[in-house]
């Protein structure tokens, strides 16, 4: 099994993988962590959980182009508009690539601003939006 086959198997198979965009808007965020969780013990399908600041969701609401969230301590996360369903992927050079179909864009646009936890229905993705801890 090749590298891409392993990724397809880990994220549910049948769909194609999202590709690295040529250019993306960039937003530095004070918090950015990504982890995965099994959807259930009976499946290999994964839920991607992104913990970031509420500013990331505000930028996603306004953005119609690829948007890369950056943080000096973590891999970047790029939300990439796509026309058909695709599977999120961890690119060794570009970081996490998250496909955003029109349905996913509508779902993101409907999420309330501010801190909160949101699990999307259109993609195996959860957003945890937290304010930066005070120093």
């Amino acid at each position: 099994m090749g590298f891409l086959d392993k990724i397809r198997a880990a994220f549910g198979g049948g769909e194609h993988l999202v590709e690295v965009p040529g250019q993306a808007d960039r937003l530095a965020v004070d918090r950015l962590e990504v982890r995965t969780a099994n959807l259930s013990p009976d499946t290999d399908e994964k839920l991607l959980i992104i913990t970031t600041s509420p500013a990331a969701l505000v930028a996603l609401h306004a953005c119609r182009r690829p948007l890369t969230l950056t943080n000096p301590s973590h891999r970047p996360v790029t939300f990439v508009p796509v026309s058909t369903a695709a599977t999120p992927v961890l690119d060794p050079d570009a970081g996490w690539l998250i496909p955003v179909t029109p349905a996913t864009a509508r779902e993101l646009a409907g999420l309330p601003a501010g801190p909160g936890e949101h699990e999307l229905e259109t993609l195996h993705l959860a957003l945890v939006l937290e304010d930066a801890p005070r120093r």
Side-chain angles (χ1 to χ4, degrees):
M1 179 181 280
F3 176 70
L4 292 179
D5 292 329
K6 288 179 185 177
I7 292 172
R8 284 185 187 96
F11 282 96
E15 301 169 348
H16 68 281
L17 299 174
V18 64
E19 296 181 14
V20 177
Q23 293 183 343
D25 294 338
R26 297 179 75 77
L27 175 67
V29 291
D30 54 13
R31 181 159 201 177
L32 185 60
E33 300 171 27
V34 179
R35 57 189 189 277
T36 60
N38 281 349
L39 285 175
S40 78
D42 300 331
T43 181
D44 288 334
E45 287 185 283
K46 304 286 185 202
L47 175 68
L48 195 62
I49 304 164
I50 300 173
T51 302
T52 190
S53 66
L57 183 59
V58 172
L60 283 169
H61 284 168
C63 191
R64 299 294 171 251
R65 299 172 10 101
L67 174 66
T68 300
L69 305 178
T70 63
N71 179 288
S73 302
H74 297 280
R75 292 179 193 253
V77 176
T78 302
F79 291 83
V80 183
V82 295
S83 56
T84 59
T87 301
V89 66
L90 176 57
D91 182 274
D93 298 320
W96 284 98
L97 303 170
I98 311 300
V100 180
T101 63
T104 302
R106 285 190 299 276
E107 189 172 8
L108 287 167
L111 297 178
E117 298 176 359
H118 311 283
E119 187 172 344
L120 301 184
E121 293 181 12
T122 56
L123 188 63
H124 293 314
L125 177 71
L127 291 175
V128 179
L129 306 171
E130 298 179 346
D131 289 322
R134 298 194 186 261
R135 294 179 187 210

